[in-house]
Amino acid sequence: MDYKALTQQTVQEILGYNQDKSGWKVVKISITVSKKPSKKFQGNLYRVEGIFPESASKLSDFLYKTENRVTWDKSLKAYNMVHKIDSDTFICHTITQSFAMGSISPRDFVDLVSFKHCEGNMDIITSGSVDFPAYPPSSNYIRGYNHACGYVCSPLQENPAHSRLVMFVQTEMRGKLSPSIIEATMPSNLVNFILNAKEGIKTHKAPSGRGCHRNGHSSFLRKK
């Protein structure tokens, strides 16, 4: 599989979502969460927006790295890089916590994650599920599937020392879940991710001497 070509395709999809201002229905206001029907599966594409009192480069570096991810991302039980392709691309295996009082059991995901620096000091981290022979589905977890997901980190125009995070999520949980359960829990889970990230980044050291390139990694994805 040409993983690099796949990451370029996913980057273009996330850029398209970021530029698309039509059809979004706001479903959460404290941290803006919007949704629209996904073109990838019978579910929704979610857009989440939050402001961070950190630079865009520090925010993207924080989100891209796997180190200590489970210490701040409360939705995850495990998050591990299982194959490094290059400094900006890797494959990760994620195991989620259960949700909704146990109504949504843990899932696992195998995702291709990439980082790209764009014009205007905008950083994009993309994630999407792939087949990876070393990590086939097991009987321990239902294998979920992340269609093109991503974080877009950009300087806040009115205060470049701060940044805007726009996150896109379209996760196919699979299994025998009622769509109504996913609809009811997803917005709150996404808000919690932003809140957890705001706490976690407080102890994150800003990248030094690396510009906007990372040699860590991160997945855009969470689980619900």
Side-chain angles (χ1 to χ4, degrees):
M1 179 179 290
D2 189 341
Y3 290 122
K4 293 299 290 184
L6 185 57
T7 61
Q8 289 304 312
Q9 177 182 329
T10 306
V11 165
Q12 292 306 311
E13 289 185 56
I14 297 304
L15 281 171
Y17 296 152
N18 192 50
Q19 295 165 0
D20 181 7
K21 306 302 181 184
S22 66
W24 296 100
K25 177 183 179 182
V26 176
V27 293
K28 204 81 174 178
I29 296 177
S30 55
I31 291 168
T32 305
V33 180
S34 308
K35 69 177 182 179
K36 67 191 316 185
S38 172
K39 296 180 180 179
K40 299 285 189 177
F41 75 114
Q42 296 287 316
N44 289 314
L45 165 63
Y46 288 88
R47 176 188 178 112
V48 189
E49 299 181 54
I51 304 300
F52 284 72
E54 311 287 350
S55 68
S57 61
K58 180 177 179 179
L59 177 59
S60 60
D61 189 78
F62 169 72
L63 293 172
Y64 189 64
K65 287 185 173 179
T66 55
E67 292 89 342
N68 304 316
R69 176 65 177 260
V70 297
T71 64
W72 64 264
D73 189 343
K74 307 306 181 184
S75 66
L76 299 183
K77 183 182 297 185
Y79 184 80
N80 299 300
M81 176 169 60
V82 296
H83 179 62
K84 182 176 181 179
I85 297 168
D86 58 31
S87 62
D88 294 329
T89 316
F90 68 94
I91 293 174
C92 75
H93 179 236
T94 303
I95 302 174
T96 72
Q97 303 282 2
S98 61
F99 290 89
M101 304 289 289
S103 298
I104 301 178
S105 61
R107 261 60 174 172
D108 80 330
F109 298 84
V110 175
D111 295 320
L112 176 66
V113 181
S114 72
F115 168 87
K116 183 177 178 62
H117 181 63
C118 302
E119 291 183 7
N121 288 324
M122 179 174 68
D123 294 339
I124 298 178
I125 300 165
T126 64
S127 176
S129 290
V130 293
D131 292 324
F132 188 59
Y135 276 78
S138 75
S139 59
N140 296 325
Y141 301 100
I142 296 172
R143 173 64 54 87
Y145 191 92
N146 285 316
H147 297 275
C149 298
Y151 308 111
V152 179
C153 307
S154 57
L156 200 60
Q157 285 190 343
E158 55 269 35
N159 184 356
H162 291 190
S163 56
R164 180 187 306 278
L165 171 64
V166 182
M167 181 170 71
F168 298 95
V169 178
Q170 46 186 342
T171 299
E172 191 171 349
M173 301 303 296
R174 298 184 171 173
K176 299 179 179 180
L177 281 176
S178 165
S180 63
I181 294 179
I182 298 175
E183 288 285 312
T185 59
M186 185 68 80
S188 294
N189 288 341
L190 296 173
V191 167
N192 287 338
F193 173 82
I194 298 292
L195 296 176
N196 290 336
K198 285 186 174 184
E199 283 298 312
I201 199 172
K202 291 178 180 178
T203 58
H204 178 70
K205 294 182 179 179
S208 58
R210 289 185 292 137
C212 292
H213 274 33
R214 283 71 181 142
N215 55 23
H217 50 287
S218 150
S219 137
F220 161 36
L221 222 22
R222 66 223 50 301
K223 356 57 359 330
K224 283 52 184 177

